[in-house]
Amino acid sequence: MKLYCLSGHPTLPCNVLKFKSTTIMLDCGLDTTSVLNFLPLPLVHSPRLSKLPGWVSKDGTINLEKELKECAGRVFVDSQPEFCLPERELLDLSTIDVILISNYHCMMALPYITEHTGFTGTVYATEPTLQIGRLLMEELVNFMERVPKAQSATCWKNKEIQRMLPGPLKDAVEVWTWKRCYSMQEVNSALSKVQLVGYSQKVELFGAVQISPLSSGYSLGSSNWIIQSHHEKVSYVSGSSLLTTHPQPMDQSSLKNSDVLILTGLTQMPTANPDGMLGEFCSNLAMTIRAGGNVLVPCYSSGVIYDLLECLYQFIESANLGTTPFYFISPVANSSLEFSQIFAEWLCHNKQTKVYLPEPPFPHAELIQTNKLKHYPSIHGDFSSEFRQPCVVFTGHPSLRFGDVVHFMELWGKSSLNTIIFTEPDFSYLDALAPYQPLAMKCVYCPIDTRLNFHQVSKLLKEVQPLHVVCPEQYTQPPLSQSHRSDLMLELQPPPMPYRRCSVLNLPFRRRYERVYILPELANSLVPSEIKPGTSVATVSAVLHSKDNKHTLQPPPAPPTKKRKRVIEEPPVVLAPKPLLSGAVPLEAFLATLQKHGISEVKVEETADGHILHLQAEDTLIQLEEDGTHIVCDNNEPLRSPERCKLEGN
């Protein structure tokens, strides 16, 4: 069993598991942090960005004025943003049989995998994961296509040139493999390969293994996966939460008795309490509105925004914000808000019961009905005529490199009355703000990450007790900024097996057993012989038939018989079973027996699994092992046969 790591980002994983003749990809996350190296894509012409000076090396030997621009001491690529894809050279991705998706954030690289590698398999995901994943991909494509860049920067990717660039461009990973965003046609083609599954549904893969998704408690439809055969069990835990939010709670009990547990997708903010961050979010928002400023919240169009709106629903009246308009701007804003209300069976119990009252499970439905929350596909059209300030705007993308958020940064960035509140933990807020410097607006960092922290996951692992844990190497050491915090890492016995991008792990157990079925007619012919009280054995002569990874013992074909003129019906004679030999061959006694038969020159060599006997005069090898005996004897059948008879049954 092998695990191939194709992504270096622990919360945007992409791994491949080879298990019992099947090749399974576990998630295909897209590392979007690469876009922080690019200039923003403004919706309208930005004089500020267009006047940025080009970059030339200090000695003047490298001139990339057309590709790289300087802003506030940082250098950015002036081109369409590109993404860091999962590694595609480590193994042949066309051999992948299935892809298992944990949640909609971990499927954003799917079109790159299914459309450009020769992939012919099946993708498995829950319905909310598929539908909301489609929305996020559609939004990403829309953001990119509505602001196309004429030029494409490629010279800076040259390895020799990249080494001469200032950081962080100098340290960017595998820039020559970065790709532009896929098209909507590729998205539709990729998602047509998805097969929907429900929690605890069991799916057979070629008769070899069985897969089953479990609720992970992180987002609508998010899953952990069980991959098991008759005798082995692998659990894949990615993006899980034990907090009480809107999704179904995490299924922990089904993870027990795992031979290997592959762990990824832990919180990116282990020291930030989500409830505390929500409180800070609300208080900073209220403070800005009361001072006459606007609040900008760069966010994804699904996920944490549902919890933010629910929190604000309870907070608005007590903070006297009843007249403040809230705007949600995204090409998929309407679909996202509607999907959250219709996936009732994927919600926690409290929200499910509201559906049957009937009431909308999320309070943002009431905010929309009372006109306190308005949603728009973009800043053009109705929004521009209905827009009034001060207000709160939720819009994407959290990287601040594309989407409607770029317009609001240019519009509000020059006033200290306004505030930008970061709630998504995927991007460094300082790096996100870098191309907008100098910036007058206030910045508040309230990262809300409900995924498991190190304390929670340590407690979980003690309860489910897997034999082995495999995880990204980032989890086996404290963060660089807090190297003294040993509580911000996994400390287990035995220690977890770490992996990094492009590593290949041999997982620490091998298959020892295989399930074999025996046909009833063959079973009826067996004659057990008791070798000790309570233990009987029987010899089996059969044909092993293997198909679709299922093995069956069938009766051997009957030998041809001559036709008789007369058939005499006589009762079958049941012969007494022959004596059976079992157990290990006693070495000293066996050497003495060989001596009696005139074989005296025997050289004995001890091995890890037994002994090798070299019959020097006869040029013969006898290999005695715990589970079998092998005789190697060239062109001397009379010698081999008697010895074989003596050893049979071992």
Side-chain angles (χ1 to χ4, degrees), residues 67 82 153-159 162 175-176 178-179:
E67 293 193 2
E82 297 178 347
T154 55
C155 293
W156 75 276
K157 291 183 176 185
N158 182 288
K159 288 184 181 181
Q162 190 197 358
V175 295
W176 58 92
W178 291 7
K179 298 290 182 188

Side-chain angles (χ1 to χ4, degrees), residues 307-560:
D307 299 310
L308 293 176
L309 292 173
E310 184 160 0
C311 183
L312 286 173
Y313 173 79
Q314 300 164 353
F315 180 75
I316 285 172
E317 296 305 325
S318 62
N320 294 320
L321 299 177
T323 58
T324 303
F326 291 79
Y327 301 118
F328 177 23
I329 305 172
S330 165
V332 297
N334 184 50
S335 300
S336 174
L337 293 172
E338 287 182 349
F339 271 137
S340 66
Q341 305 285 16
I342 63 174
F343 286 131
E345 71 270 29
W346 305 92
L347 296 171
C348 63
H349 179 71
N350 288 342
K351 293 202 179 315
Q352 278 189 23
T353 53
K354 288 185 178 182
V355 176
Y356 303 113
L357 286 177
E359 283 181 18
F362 287 94
H364 57 242
E366 188 177 326
L367 290 174
I368 294 170
Q369 288 171 358
T370 56
N371 270 340
K372 290 175 181 174
L373 173 65
K374 296 184 178 182
H375 54 86
Y376 303 91
S378 73
I379 58 172
H380 305 296
D382 292 343
F383 173 75
S384 56
S385 59
E386 297 176 10
F387 173 58
R388 62 186 179 86
Q389 306 181 72
C391 64
V392 179
V393 172
F394 297 89
T395 191
H397 185 266
S399 66
L400 307 188
R401 293 301 181 270
F402 41 82
D404 300 276
V405 72
V406 175
H407 179 74
F408 287 101
M409 288 298 298
E410 297 285 342
L411 184 68
W412 291 344
K414 300 178 183 66
S415 172
S416 59
L417 288 175
N418 303 321
T419 301
I420 178 170
I421 305 180
F422 290 90
T423 58
E424 299 289 353
D426 289 353
F427 301 92
S428 159
Y429 74 99
L430 293 174
D431 291 338
L433 291 170
Y436 299 95
Q437 301 295 349
L439 197 68
M441 75 189 301
K442 290 191 288 292
C443 169
V444 178
Y445 190 49
C446 299
I448 299 171
D449 195 337
T450 60
R451 287 172 282 206
L452 294 171
N453 59 36
F454 288 100
H455 173 72
Q456 291 169 329
V457 82
S458 296
K459 187 178 177 185
L460 172 69
L461 293 174
K462 281 180 184 175
E463 290 175 3
V464 302
Q465 293 187 324
L467 291 182
H468 304 279
V469 174
V470 182
C471 68
E473 68 174 0
Q474 290 95 323
Y475 298 163
T476 61
Q477 54 203 20
L480 290 175
S481 58
Q482 296 172 295
S483 56
H484 62 288
R485 294 286 301 272
S486 61
D487 58 321
L488 300 182
M489 60 180 282
L490 277 181
E491 290 188 295
L492 305 172
Q493 286 302 328
M497 294 183 65
Y499 62 78
R500 64 172 73 178
R501 185 182 175 102
C502 292
S503 61
V504 181
L505 296 186
N506 283 302
L507 297 187
F509 74 90
R510 61 174 186 165
R511 295 185 284 119
R512 293 182 62 87
Y513 302 103
E514 193 70 68
R515 179 170 290 186
V516 180
Y517 299 91
I518 186 167
L519 291 185
E521 54 267 35
L522 179 60
N524 287 335
S525 68
L526 299 182
V527 183
S529 175
E530 189 172 60
I531 57 172
K532 64 180 180 179
T535 303
S536 297
V537 296
T539 54
V540 181
S541 295
V543 174
L544 179 64
H545 180 264
S546 295
K547 183 180 180 182
D548 294 336
N549 288 294
K550 285 189 169 57
H551 312 291
T552 308
L553 288 178
Q554 300 176 347

Side-chain angles (χ1 to χ4, degrees), residues 110-220:
L110 192 62
Y112 295 114
I113 304 294
T114 62
E115 305 309 300
H116 300 285
T117 63
F119 173 80
T120 57
T122 306
V123 185
Y124 290 95
T126 62
E127 188 175 4
T129 296
L130 168 66
Q131 300 299 353
I132 297 175
R134 182 191 298 276
L135 294 184
L136 293 179
M137 290 182 188
E138 183 183 328
E139 181 185 57
L140 189 62
V141 172
N142 186 292
F143 284 158
M144 295 297 183
E145 290 185 349
R146 70 185 182 184
V147 191
K149 277 265 189 183
Q151 76 274 18
S152 180
T154 55
C155 293
W156 75 276
K157 291 183 176 185
N158 182 288
K159 288 184 181 181
E160 295 303 316
I161 292 178
Q162 190 197 358
R163 287 192 302 178
M164 309 294 289
L165 300 179
L169 283 178
K170 180 182 180 180
D171 306 314
V173 178
E174 297 182 4
V175 295
W176 58 92
T177 67
W178 291 7
K179 298 290 182 188
R180 286 190 172 195
C181 187
Y182 34 69
S183 66
M184 205 58 218
Q185 182 181 353
E186 289 172 318
V187 169
N188 291 329
S189 177
L191 297 183
S192 69
K193 299 173 175 66
V194 176
Q195 184 170 319
L196 298 180
V197 287
Y199 288 151
S200 300
Q201 179 182 339
K202 292 176 171 56
V203 179
E204 287 275 345
L205 299 184
F206 319 114
V209 296
Q210 190 181 74
I211 59 170
S212 182
L214 312 171
S215 173
S216 74
Y218 170 55
S219 61
L220 281 175

Side-chain angles (χ1 to χ4, degrees), residues 42 44-52 410:
V44 294
H45 177 71
S46 168
R48 183 186 70 84
L49 290 174
S50 63
K51 291 176 184 175
L52 291 175
E410 297 285 342

